[in-house]
Amino acid sequence: MFGFGDIIRRREILDGREWIVYPVRVVEDTEDHLAVYLAKGTPLTFGQGDFRWGNHPWANFDHIWQSDGVLQVQRPGDGYSVWHFWEGDTFSGWYINFQEPMRRDARGFDTLDQELDIWVPADGSSFQWKDVEHFEERQRLGGFHPGEADAVRTEAQRVAAMLDAGTTWWSDRWTDWSAPAIWEVPGRMDLSAPA
């Protein structure tokens, strides 16, 4: 288990290599979930070489996290994480990021964003599907392994059913959370360092 304030790394692994890596701070680590904070200005490190999905789409921008900080909460075995977004000090909503289930190691955790997302506004209005066209195009071009796209769709429908029924596991307790003022933006992660 990681401790409050620990700096760990979040890696997305594609084709057996690091596609993107960045540091996050641990907010809470329990048997049920891992909550980490991605601060504004955090450096993003992108893998080099040929990937089946091409370069990471964020590589075309400044290699830092540009929006306000985001709290990412993931549970073991889930094929998604719940990202909490703020605009300044105002909570703006939840972004359900469909991704491979997290795989922990001593330095952090690995996953891979699988393109499809859901946006849930803070005011409780209807949720919106995001990046559906990108997801379908990725499948059409053979970007997913056999059965992978179907597994993502199944997980997405399960989350949509939770949202429709109002039975989500994530609570409002994080909506008023803010990072401690003493937390500095972590430094760049070294891709060459051992896992």
Side-chain angles (χ1 to χ4, degrees), residues 176-187:
D176 293 327
W177 182 86
S178 61
I182 61 169
W183 280 4
E184 296 178 0
V185 175

Side-chain angles (χ1 to χ4, degrees), residues 101-118:
M102 69 171 168
R103 301 172 301 277
R104 290 173 174 260
D105 64 28
R107 295 187 58 208
F109 66 98
D110 296 344
T111 187
L112 179 63
D113 188 309
Q114 294 172 312
E115 199 72 59
L116 192 62
D117 306 291
I118 294 176

Side-chain angles (χ1 to χ4, degrees), residues 122-136:
D123 64 8
S125 58
S126 299
F127 66 86
Q128 303 157 7
W129 291 97
K130 307 293 286 182
D131 300 321
V132 174
E133 307 81 24
H134 299 292
F135 176 81
E136 298 296 341

